């Protein structure tokens, strides 16, 4: 039985924990809200109250075969404290959930070898990548959707910019499956982009997303010079032999 700790049981982390418990994993999960402790317990996730801004982080929570970090904080000092706590724990493997927002929009395909922007998230990634006390795999997820997070509800009160640009998206089920494969195949010390192979234009994608929800077609703003990026997941697919569950964004 694998022992996994999930730091941040939100939109992704909670569903990941539920999936792993069904697979027979022993799962510990964290929240910053006392009100959610019982919620986690009810789905067989052992709950912990953890805030990375605190000086003390539960050593019991951190002790796991794999620690999955799925929080939105970009506070560098908080992560320095977190890493210090991990170093004192028995955890030897970490999965850090990052984002393809680290890449600039250069109107081309972007791979893991391409330049990143000067952004706190990149510095946080490097804190993990450069630490020799444990192995970390970084997953840079593209735009997240699934469950109640429906793209047809986005841009509700404004025009959508760059309609001729391309979308980079990934469904939550693919996120969970990729994390599982990294653990099962023991692939650590890597950086992976995680994005479907399908990149429709923003115009086509959001028109379809609105129609799916029975909503009016959105308005677009093409007044600014076109900026986009196309995220490549070839490395992830080759190394994990992974096939996306949701790989046609206009049929979802």
């Amino acid at each position: 039985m694998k022992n996994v700790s999930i730091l941040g049981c939100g939109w992704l982390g909670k569903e990941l924990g539920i999936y792993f418990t069904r697979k027979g994993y022993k799962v510990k999960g964290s929240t910053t809200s006392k009100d959610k402790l019982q919620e986690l317990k009810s789905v067989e996730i052992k709950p912990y109250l953890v805030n990375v801004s605190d000086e003390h982080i539960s050593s019991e929570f951190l002790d796991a075969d794999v620690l999955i970090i799925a929080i939105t904080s970009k506070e560098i000092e908080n992560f320095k404290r977190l890493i210090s706590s991990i170093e004192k724990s028995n955890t030897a493997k970490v999965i850090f959930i990052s984002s393809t927002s680290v890449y600039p929009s250069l109107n081309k395909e972007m791979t893991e070898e391409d330049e990143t922007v000067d952004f706190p998230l990149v510095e946080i990634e490097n804190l993990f990548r450069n630490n020799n006390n444990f192995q970390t795999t970084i997953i840079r997820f593209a735009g997240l959707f699934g469950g109640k997070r429906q793209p047809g509800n986005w841009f509700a009160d404004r025009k959508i910019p760059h309609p001729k640009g391309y979308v980079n998206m990934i469904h939550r089920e693919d996120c969970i499956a990729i994390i599982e494969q990294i653990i099962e195949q023991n692939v650590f010390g890597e950086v992976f982009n995680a994005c479907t192979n399908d990149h429709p234009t923003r115009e086509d994608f959001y028109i379809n997303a609105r129609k799916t929800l029975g909503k009016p077609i959105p308005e677009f703003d093409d007044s600014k010079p076109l900026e986009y990026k196309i995220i490549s997941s070839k490395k992830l697919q080759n190394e994990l032999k992974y096939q996306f569950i949701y790989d046609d964004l206009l049929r979802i």
Side-chain angles (χ1 to χ4, degrees):
M1 178 185 290
K2 290 184 174 65
N3 183 352
V4 175
S5 288
I6 302 172
L7 180 61
C9 285
W11 176 84
L12 174 60
K14 181 184 174 184
E15 292 302 313
L16 178 64
I18 292 171
Y19 178 84
F20 277 160
T21 59
R22 290 172 179 168
K23 286 281 187 171
Y25 286 56
K26 183 178 179 181
V27 180
K28 293 180 278 190
S30 82
T31 177
T32 58
S33 170
K34 290 182 179 180
D35 295 338
K36 291 185 178 179
L37 293 173
Q38 183 57 41
E39 182 181 320
L40 296 181
K41 189 175 182 180
S42 70
V43 291
E44 300 182 19
I45 297 172
K46 188 175 182 179
Y48 290 80
L49 197 64
V50 178
N51 194 320
V52 291
S53 64
D54 294 340
E55 290 295 330
H56 174 71
I57 296 176
S58 170
S59 58
E60 181 181 322
F61 169 75
L62 292 176
D63 284 340
D65 297 324
V66 181
L67 171 65
I68 301 165
I69 300 172
I71 56 177
T72 57
S73 171
K74 305 297 186 294
E75 295 294 328
I76 294 169
E77 292 304 314
N78 289 347
F79 280 98
K80 288 181 178 178
R81 283 195 293 270
L82 172 61
I83 287 171
S84 178
S85 296
I86 296 171
E87 290 174 341
K88 298 170 187 174
S89 74
N90 293 323
T91 295
K93 294 172 183 176
V94 172
I95 294 175
F96 179 75
I97 305 302
S98 186
S99 166
T100 56
S101 64
V102 300
Y103 297 112
S105 295
L106 300 179
N107 294 13
K108 71 183 188 79
E109 184 177 77
M110 307 299 288
T111 73
E112 292 85 351
E113 303 301 318
D114 281 303
E115 66 180 280
T116 54
V117 294
D118 184 13
F119 190 54
L121 185 55
V122 175
E123 186 171 344
I124 293 166
E125 281 188 2
N126 289 333
L127 289 174
F128 284 93
R129 293 173 68 180
N130 297 331
N131 192 293
N132 295 321
N133 293 282
F134 49 83
Q135 286 185 301
T136 300
T137 282
I138 309 286
I139 310 177
R140 293 171 175 165
F141 283 132
L144 302 167
F145 74 103
K148 293 183 179 180
R149 187 174 289 188
Q150 294 295 324
N153 292 323
W154 303 347
F155 298 100
D157 56 354
R158 62 190 178 99
K159 294 182 179 180
I160 300 174
H162 304 299
K164 302 304 180 185
Y166 303 95
V167 298
N168 300 285
M169 305 293 297
I170 185 168
H171 194 279
R172 181 168 61 188
E173 288 184 30
D174 277 303
C175 297
I176 291 170
I178 288 166
I179 293 170
E180 179 186 26
Q181 286 306 305
I182 287 170
I183 294 172
E184 291 294 326
Q185 297 184 40
N186 194 30
V187 182
F188 286 88
E190 296 287 351
V191 177
F192 291 120
N193 292 340
C195 177
T196 65
N197 294 305
D198 192 27
H199 302 277
T201 65
R202 290 164 64 82
E203 184 175 29
D204 288 343
F205 177 74
Y206 284 106
I207 286 175
N208 181 73
R210 290 284 178 89
K211 285 182 176 178
T212 299
L213 297 182
K215 294 190 173 187
I217 292 174
E219 295 185 63
F220 296 93
D221 178 6
D222 61 358
S223 62
K224 296 180 181 179
L226 181 60
E227 292 183 358
Y228 68 86
K229 54 192 171 188
I230 295 177
I231 303 299
S232 168
S233 290
K234 291 186 179 73
K235 177 183 175 183
L236 179 143
Q237 291 172 91
N238 290 337
E239 294 199 19
L240 299 182
K241 305 296 186 233
Y242 186 76
Q243 293 185 337
F244 284 93
I245 303 165
Y246 294 88
D247 210 17
D248 186 343
L249 295 179
L250 297 183
R251 293 196 176 190
I252 294 174

